[in-house]
Amino acid sequence: MKQSCAACKQQFETSTEDLAFIKRLSPMIAGKTIAIPPPTHCPTCRQQRRLAFRNDSNYYKNTCSSCKKQVISIYSPDKGIPVLCHECFWSDNWNALQYGKVFDFSRPFAEQFNALKKSVPRLCIFNTQSENSDYTVHSSRNKNCYMCSSIIDDENVYFSDFIFHCLDCIDCFSCERMELCNSCIFSEDCYNGDWLKLCFNLTDAMFCIDCKGGSKLLGCVGLRNASNRILNKEVTPEEYEKTRHRLLTDSKFRQEFQKKVEALRLTIPVPHLWEIGSENCTGNYLFHSKNVHNGYNAKHFEDCCYAYEGHRNTDCMDLMRSGDGELLYDCCNVIDLKMSAFCNLTYQCDHLLYCDNCHGCSDCFGCFGLKKAKYCIFNTQFTKEEYEALVPKIIAHMEKTGEWGSFPSAAISSFGYNESKASEWYPLTKEEVLKRGWQWSDYEQSLPEGLKGIDAERLPEDIKDVPDDILNYTIHAEGSGKPYRLIPQELALYRKKGLPIPRQHPRERILKLSTVQNRHTLYSRTCPQCKKQIETTYAPDRPEIVYCEECYLKEVY
């Protein structure tokens, strides 16, 4: 079924398989299935809408509305949103049901839900079971981590996103089981690696792409089980050490070397789909997944489509940053959610519709901030019979207003568009955002006064020449001039690894890493070796040599 996107007006297709999937995911109330209609927005606009509800990179000092303790929060204080510290949120001293509303059938759902959201206190930031990791969000079981999102079971990790089981790492994205690594992306099981992409089981490697099972590699592409190589050529251990030292201490040499790596990269074939241990999948960056179509940066997924950046999900469609989900439709930022649709930031829940910031709940509709609740609508308690009678009536009302069947509009997000992850993938100007009726944040959190300043260009090339009192300076990023500071643990890690002080703001660095990945669009191409038709995220006008999987494997092994 082809149609025009309600937002961008571009043509998109909803396949017969997609429609059958949506039918399967449609909710059942009182034994009757309530059909979810076909999507009115294209996959890109659907993803943009979900991303507008996620803030990964902006942390603010705020105040717990209950105990008045200062907290770190993902919500800026100027928004007027009541936030709670972890102790107050999880205590029995308050109940989100006291903010309950009666649904008004004369008003749109979104208008009423937004009013409810603004009134109910919420957790200041989402991190659990962690030690000395206040500046982490959507994260759990970490120790001594700072400015990270979606990290689990990590220690001494800084300025990173979507990282699992890592130790002593900085500026990494979508990595697992890494140690002493810097600026790595889509890599696993590496030790002392810097600027790696799609690398596995490497030791002492730098500026490598698509290498596996090697050591002492500099600027190598597509190698397997190799050692002592520079730009894919065998060298002596002495040559390796000498070049590595220059890369760490000479920025001009490092820039010229990166150009050589890029030139080499374009001579080595790439697979039409980057995947590890996956079967019957389309999309890109798929790890240990099966039957996933239009999946991107998905790990341990099965029977899903239009799935983005998640871990261990089954039978889901239109999903963003979810873990341990099952039978979900159009949800984002959820953990252990089952048989639900149109939800955000819900944890250990099931059978929810249009719920946000809920924990341990089931059978709820349009609720916000509830804990261990059941049969609630707009934070009001009902009996099972009352709930099953009222929900279909509200859905019928939403069908009339055109609101049923899709994730809420970015207009009711708790974040300014420029604060959200949507701005990373789909950047818009302030004027464009406001024209769409969405929000923009002008809030700026000031740095401490009295600090000395230094331009990044003036930083010493060699970390050995960086004095301790750099911690007392505000550094102005190269190019943008955006101010940032180093933390003691960060400086210690740079010294341990011999790394130069980065010259870009931390957010600029992680943004650069996360947006290195290909866009979420599939193109039809022909494998130049066997002439087989392939679908790939490499656009036809890109310079890479793109092979089908069979031809690629013959090339690298």
Side-chain angles (χ1 to χ4, degrees):
M1 182 179 76
K2 289 188 176 181
Q3 58 195 111
S4 177
C5 175
C8 69
K9 310 305 178 186
Q10 295 292 317
Q11 288 286 308
F12 73 98
E13 184 172 1
T14 304
S15 69
T16 303
E17 292 78 11
D18 292 342
L19 293 172
F21 208 162
I22 294 171
K23 182 178 180 180
R24 182 183 171 200
L25 297 176
S26 293
M28 181 174 289
I29 308 290
K32 295 182 180 179
T33 299
I34 300 180
I36 294 176
T40 57
H41 290 59
C42 68
T44 296
C45 289
R46 302 199 300 266
Q47 172 69 343
Q48 180 185 28
R49 185 168 52 192
R50 291 187 293 270
L51 286 173
F53 281 72
R54 185 180 181 92
N55 168 24
D56 279 350
S57 307
N58 300 279
Y59 301 83
Y60 307 99
K61 290 181 179 179
N62 210 325
T63 304
C64 174
S65 60
S66 178
C67 70
K68 308 306 177 185
K69 181 176 70 176
Q70 189 176 81
V71 295
I72 305 303
S73 177
I74 53 173
Y75 307 102
S76 58
D78 63 315
K79 291 180 171 63
I81 293 173
V83 300
L84 296 174
C85 67
H86 285 262
E87 291 79 7
C88 290
F89 181 83
W90 293 111
S91 75
D92 295 327
N93 296 331
W94 78 289
N95 192 329
L97 289 174
Q98 70 191 71
Y99 299 89
K101 306 288 184 184
V102 176
F103 188 81
D104 185 349
F105 286 90
S106 68
R107 298 165 59 198
F109 167 87
E111 178 185 302
Q112 299 180 69
F113 189 56
N114 194 32
L116 176 67
K117 284 176 58 178
K118 290 179 177 179
S119 68
V120 182
R122 64 187 70 183
L123 197 57
C124 60
I125 195 167
F126 290 83
N127 55 47
T128 61
Q129 300 169 275
S130 297
E131 178 184 343
N132 190 30
S133 301
D134 291 346
Y135 285 86
T136 61
V137 64
H138 309 301
S139 301
S140 185
R141 302 190 300 274
N142 301 298
K143 183 179 180 180
N144 302 331
C145 295
Y146 182 75
M147 298 294 277
C148 296
S149 172
S150 300
I151 65 168
I152 298 176
D153 296 315
D154 296 307
E155 185 173 350
N156 305 332
V157 172
Y158 318 111
F159 308 111
S160 297
D161 185 18
F162 209 50
I163 303 296
F164 307 95
H165 308 285
C166 293
L167 174 66
D168 296 327
C169 292
I170 190 164
D171 290 353
C172 291
F173 175 74
S174 193
C175 293
E176 295 193 39
R177 298 176 302 279
M178 309 282 278
E179 184 174 351
L180 276 174
C181 289
N182 158 65
S183 300
C184 298
I185 179 172
F186 297 125
S187 297
E188 297 179 0
D189 302 297
C190 295
Y191 179 83
N192 195 30
D194 303 289
W195 299 287
L196 305 180
K197 181 179 180 182
L198 290 156
C199 289
F200 302 83
N201 296 292
L202 297 188
T203 301
D204 299 328
M206 190 181 293
F207 294 113
C208 292
I209 303 169
D210 185 26
C211 291
K212 296 180 181 179
S215 64
K216 298 187 181 301
L217 305 177
L218 301 175
C220 294
V221 182
L223 294 187
R224 301 293 182 267
N225 303 312
S227 61
N228 288 309
R229 304 289 179 93
I230 299 177
L231 297 170
N232 285 21
K233 295 180 180 179
E234 191 168 2
V235 297
T236 64
E238 292 75 18
E239 287 177 293
Y240 165 84
E241 292 295 344
K242 181 180 178 181
T243 304
R244 185 177 187 277
H245 178 74
R246 284 197 68 186
L247 287 170
L248 290 171
T249 58
D250 187 337
S251 60
K252 289 184 179 179
F253 179 76
R254 188 164 58 245
Q255 290 168 5
E256 290 302 314
F257 188 83
Q258 287 177 274
K259 291 178 183 178
K260 293 178 181 179
V261 176
E262 176 63 12
L264 174 63
R265 182 184 76 87
L266 295 179
T267 68
I268 308 294
V270 298
H272 72 289
L273 160 66
W274 290 104
E275 57 88 12
I276 296 290
S278 297
E279 178 184 345
N280 188 32
C281 294
T282 64
N284 210 11
Y285 311 119
L286 293 156
F287 300 85
H288 316 292
S289 297
K290 182 178 180 181
N291 302 329
V292 176
H293 301 288
N294 284 281
Y296 303 91
N297 196 9
K299 302 182 180 189
H300 304 279
F301 276 54
E302 186 168 349
D303 299 324
C304 296
C305 61
Y306 302 107
Y308 308 82
E309 296 185 354
H311 195 267
R312 299 192 185 281
N313 297 286
T314 305
D315 295 307
C316 300
M317 179 175 179
D318 278 346
L319 199 62
M320 167 63 194
R321 285 286 171 112
S322 170
D324 298 303
E326 185 176 352
L327 292 167
L328 304 180
Y329 180 64
D330 212 354
C331 294
C332 64
N333 315 317
V334 296
I335 300 294
D336 193 15
L337 178 65
K338 318 293 185 188
M339 294 168 281
S340 300
F342 321 118
C343 291
N344 175 53
L345 282 173
T346 51
Y347 293 75
Q348 292 83 43
C349 298
D350 62 88
H351 295 91
L352 303 188
L353 295 171
Y354 289 100
C355 289
D356 199 335
N357 277 255
C358 290
H359 306 260
C361 299
S362 62
D363 297 287
C364 290
F365 187 100
C367 290
F368 187 92
L370 295 184
K371 297 178 291 184
K372 298 181 180 179
K374 190 168 186 176
Y375 300 128
C376 295
I377 300 171
F378 270 59
N379 287 31
T380 299
Q381 185 67 61
F382 292 91
T383 66
K384 179 177 184 291
E385 292 73 21
E386 290 170 333
Y387 177 86
E388 292 179 341
L390 183 54
V391 168
K393 293 178 182 178
I394 296 176
I395 291 175
H397 172 74
M398 293 175 68
E399 288 175 334
K400 293 177 183 177
T401 60
E403 298 173 284
W404 169 247
S406 60
F407 194 81
S409 165
I412 67 168
S413 168
S414 298
F415 307 109
Y417 187 86
N418 55 318
E419 294 177 293
S420 75
K421 203 165 183 66
S423 66
E424 299 178 11
W425 279 91
Y426 314 105
L428 297 172
T429 65
K430 180 177 181 178
E431 292 70 24
E432 289 172 325
V433 169
L434 297 179
K435 186 177 180 180
R436 297 183 186 204
W438 300 347
Q439 302 173 77
W440 186 271
S441 175
D442 290 314
Y443 184 83
E444 287 284 345
Q445 190 156 262
S446 59
L447 288 170
E449 295 181 359
L451 294 175
K452 295 173 282 188
I454 184 173
D455 291 335
E457 293 89 341
R458 294 178 55 204
L459 292 170
E461 295 264 359
D462 193 330
I463 189 65
K464 293 179 181 178
D465 298 325
V466 177
D468 290 344
D469 75 342
I470 190 66
L471 298 173
N472 300 320
Y473 279 76
T474 297
I475 304 172
H476 298 280
E478 196 172 66
S480 70
K482 196 169 183 179
Y484 62 101
R485 294 178 65 193
L486 301 181
I487 62 171
Q489 305 94 311
E490 177 186 5
L491 179 60
L493 184 57
Y494 294 144
R495 286 173 168 169
K496 184 176 182 178
K497 287 179 57 61
L499 289 168
I501 300 296
R503 300 188 176 190
Q504 284 78 40
H505 187 279
R507 189 174 182 189
E508 294 172 334
R509 302 195 308 260
I510 195 62
L511 177 61
K512 182 179 179 181
L513 277 179
S514 64
T515 53
V516 159
Q517 56 188 304
N518 296 353
R519 301 292 90 181
H520 300 154
T521 303
L522 292 175
Y523 303 92
S524 294
R525 291 183 63 157
T526 302
C527 173
Q529 284 290 91
C530 67
K531 309 307 178 186
K532 176 183 176 181
Q533 287 297 306
I534 53 177
E535 277 193 324
T536 179
T537 54
Y538 291 96
D541 59 350
R542 285 185 54 158
E544 289 89 353
I545 304 168
V546 183
Y547 281 6
C548 69
E549 183 180 11
E550 291 78 9
C551 293
Y552 163 77
L553 292 175
K554 290 177 183 178
E555 181 75 18
V556 297
Y557 286 103

